[in-house]
Amino acid sequence: MKLVVGLGNPGLKYNNTRHNVGFVVVDSIARQLVPGGTATVKFDALVIESQFEGDKIMLMKPQQFMNKSGHAIQQAISFYKASPATDLLVIVDDIHLPCGTIRLRDSGSSGGHNGITDITNHLQGDQWARLRIGVDEPGVVPQSDYVLGKFTPEQQEAIEPACTRAVSATTEWLRNGIDEAMNKFNETQNSETMR
């Protein structure tokens, strides 16, 4: 089972906030890969189970709030006897990347992100893939207020194509693994940002 997890906070008031960009991407993946798929509640998360090119996949949106995301993921990993290193991709916002930038990594520190910290604690290690989507630095705005705020119109223009690239990067990960996805999408991103 391949697990594609978008991080965010449940509830209408958090819709389309910077911290919920992981939910937005998973919803886009569901529309593209599982058209007509219906989410069910499993592992304290909204999930859609399907198949992609012969492999079982699960799209997941944990419903325990950002800083408790690890519990749902750990339950799913244990139930399916999946390997975090090869079977898990977590999609998450990142204030340390410019808005509209995506970056894939196969492991690493949390960078101060509470959702990633909780997943690392539950899985007892950081050897799992993450797809980070830049939302800009908060500047003078307190970080908690910033990430729970909505995108500015200028940021929205940048985030929409980033989400499209994130869907393509996820598809590449499902097909060929994290190394191929990093080579293809991080390199493309670097050349775009250097122009």
Side-chain angles (χ1 to χ4, degrees):
M1 178 70 78
K2 298 284 188 184
L3 302 174
V4 176
V5 182
L7 298 192
N9 288 309
L12 289 175
K13 72 176 182 175
Y14 298 110
N15 278 0
N16 301 314
T17 58
R18 297 178 181 95
H19 228 14
N20 273 37
V21 72
F23 277 10
V24 171
V25 173
V26 164
D27 287 342
S28 296
I29 294 165
R31 284 192 296 272
Q32 183 168 316
L33 300 187
V34 196
T38 303
T40 58
V41 178
K42 194 172 185 177
F43 309 121
D44 298 313
L46 290 175
V47 305
I48 295 178
E49 297 179 74
S50 188
Q51 298 235 345
F52 177 77
E53 297 184 358
D55 290 326
K56 290 182 179 178
I57 64 169
M58 176 180 280
L59 308 180
M60 174 183 279
K61 298 195 303 186
Q63 297 295 292
Q64 297 293 101
F65 289 95
M66 181 68 79
N67 62 355
K68 295 183 178 179
S69 301
H71 177 66
I73 295 169
Q74 191 271 329
Q75 285 186 84
I77 290 283
S78 296
F79 182 83
Y80 292 111
K81 297 179 172 56
S83 165
T86 56
D87 300 328
L88 173 64
L89 177 67
V90 176
I91 304 167
V92 61
D93 63 291
D94 193 322
I95 61 169
H96 303 299
L97 291 175
C99 191
T101 302
I102 70 168
R103 189 71 39 81
L104 288 140
R105 294 200 49 196
D106 59 359
S107 62
S109 72
S110 69
H113 194 290
N114 291 332
I116 293 180
T117 298
D118 194 59
I119 296 166
T120 297
N121 290 340
H122 274 84
L123 299 183
Q124 299 180 346
D126 67 358
Q127 301 296 306
W128 42 272
R130 68 281 319 261
L131 195 171
R132 300 180 298 147
I133 301 173
V135 297
D136 285 336
E137 295 269 357
V140 297
V141 180
Q143 182 174 324
S144 59
D145 292 342
Y146 179 77
V147 295
L148 295 177
K150 308 268 186 190
F151 289 104
T152 67
E154 294 79 13
Q155 288 177 327
Q156 193 64 46
E157 282 186 25
I159 210 70
E160 287 174 6
C163 289
T164 300
R165 286 195 304 277
V167 172
S168 299
T170 301
T171 303
E172 182 69 24
W173 175 80
L174 287 168
R175 233 179 231 130
N176 297 312
I178 189 60
D179 289 340
E180 287 296 320
M182 286 193 299
N183 287 340
K184 185 170 181 180
F185 285 88
N186 289 353
E187 195 172 276
T188 301
Q189 189 69 54
N190 289 341
S191 64
E192 286 176 1
T193 54
M194 287 173 66
R195 274 190 228 152

